[in-house]
């Protein structure tokens, strides 16, 4: 398993010194699908100057680019996604995280089944575009406090199987999983679908080792037991890079 940390190129030096393998920046800050090419090129130069690579991007869609509800603009969604995937290929990014709680939040009173259908339709249109550029989109379950749809590993695994395309895979975030109170068996049941993972403590969303977290050993033990060998990124509030990142890296290596 390779380990990374979420953040901008500014965190890369401390992450490299702590023993991490990569960093994970956001689509909107790095690939900038709504901006001119010059803005992306400036961000790409910063990434290429960093001491670690950035093979994964999170925060796929901005909150105002809706995937569910009555105001979905398929043409705008598809254009944004196509630009993101093309720039990801140029930047060496092979995985994009589809959390995007604001974009997929179902409006009050809107039919949930219809919303799920809208998300599935978007992913089916996106899959061949992502595949053409060598990119995999991973669906991230988000805790119920952040989004009102696709909250659990089981829900997102069902959607992944429904879309049925190798360019659409699954992520599990130990923080969201713990906040939702999900069982380890749901991670085990979805084992073949995982392409990427996030990790943080439950109480204050801190790096592993920064505070006690009863759920963290259970999560990491389950990840080991299913034989996961992909990437896992620390996605949490880091107060002291030099002190907290080495501890997190050591715990994840163990």
């Amino acid at each position: 398993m390779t380990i990374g940390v979420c953040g901008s190129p500014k965190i890369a030096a401390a992450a490299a010194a702590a023993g991490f393998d990569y960093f994970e920046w956001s689509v909107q800050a790095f690939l900038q699908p709504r901006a001119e090419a010059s803005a992306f090129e400036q961000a790409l130069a910063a990434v290429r100057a960093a001491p670690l690579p950035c093979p994964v991007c999170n925060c796929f869609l901005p909150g105002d680019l809706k995937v569910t509800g009555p105001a979905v603009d398929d043409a705008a969604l598809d254009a944004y996604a196509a630009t993101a995937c093309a720039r990801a290929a140029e930047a060496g990014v092979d995985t994009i995280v589809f959390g995007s709680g604001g974009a997929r939040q179902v409006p009050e009173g809107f039919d949930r089944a219809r919303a799920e259908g809208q998300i599935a339709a978007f992913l089916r249109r996106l899959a061949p575009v992502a595949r053409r550029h060598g990119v995999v989109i991973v669906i991230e379950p988000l805790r119920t406090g952040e989004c009102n749809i696709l909250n659990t590993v089981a829900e997102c695994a069902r959607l992944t199987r429904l879309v049925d395309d190798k360019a659409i895979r699954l992520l599990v975030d130990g923080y969201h999983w713990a906040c939702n109170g999900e069982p380890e068996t749901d991670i085990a049941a979805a084992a073949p679908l995982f392409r990427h993972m996030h990790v943080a403590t439950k109480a204050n969303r801190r790096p592993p080792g920064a505070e006690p977290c009863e759920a963290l050993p259970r999560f990491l033990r389950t990840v080991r037991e299913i034989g996961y060998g992909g990437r896992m990124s620390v996605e949490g509030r880091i107060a002291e890079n030099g002190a907290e990142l080495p501890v997190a890296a050591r715990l994840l290596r163990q």
Side-chain angles (χ1 to χ4, degrees), residues 175 179 200-207 211-213 235-238:
Y175 166 74
C179 288
T201 62
K202 178 182 175 181
N204 296 294
R205 204 171 190 176
R206 303 275 280 117
E211 66 178 0
C213 181
E235 186 183 32
R237 300 181 182 91
I238 303 168

Side-chain angles (χ1 to χ4, degrees), residues 21-218:
D21 301 302
Y22 67 92
F23 71 101
E24 177 179 332
W25 205 6
S26 74
V27 168
Q28 295 168 59
F30 182 6
L31 307 180
Q32 301 193 48
R34 284 177 159 172
E36 297 295 327
S38 58
F40 162 61
E41 288 163 3
Q42 185 175 357
L44 180 57
V47 168
R48 287 177 172 167
L52 290 178
C54 179
V56 187
C57 283
N58 54 40
C59 300
F60 184 21
L61 302 176
D64 65 315
L65 193 55
K66 302 298 183 182
V67 188
T68 66
V72 174
D73 184 338
D74 286 343
L77 268 173
D78 294 352
Y80 178 98
T83 300
C85 289
R87 291 180 177 178
E90 183 179 348
V93 171
D94 59 36
T95 303
I96 290 177
V97 178
F98 175 39
S100 307
R104 74 190 200 201
Q105 177 84 4
V106 182
E108 186 175 353
F110 193 82
D111 183 71
R112 185 181 179 89
R114 184 180 171 192
E116 290 179 353
Q118 289 176 312
I119 297 172
F122 167 63
L123 292 173
R124 288 193 182 103
R125 296 195 310 272
L126 174 58
V129 178
R131 200 181 323 111
R132 186 163 62 248
H133 291 288
V135 175
V136 174
I137 309 298
V138 292
I139 305 170
E140 179 178 23
L142 298 175
R143 67 187 180 94
T144 54
E146 291 187 23
C147 190
N148 63 0
I149 194 168
L150 298 179
N151 304 114
T152 68
V153 171
E155 287 177 285
C156 292
R158 179 174 56 81
L159 178 61
T160 304
R161 292 188 173 103
L162 179 66
V163 174
D164 192 24
D165 194 294
K166 289 185 178 180
I168 307 298
R169 298 283 89 182
L170 183 62
L171 176 151
V172 60
D173 184 315
Y175 166 74
H176 293 291
W177 172 83
C179 288
N180 286 337
E182 299 172 60
E184 293 94 320
T185 52
D186 284 359
I187 297 177
L193 302 176
F194 290 120
R195 164 79 176 200
H196 189 45
M197 295 188 178
H198 286 162
V199 65
T201 62
K202 178 182 175 181
N204 296 294
R205 204 171 190 176
R206 303 275 280 117
E211 66 178 0
C213 181
E214 179 273 335
L216 186 60
R218 293 191 292 111

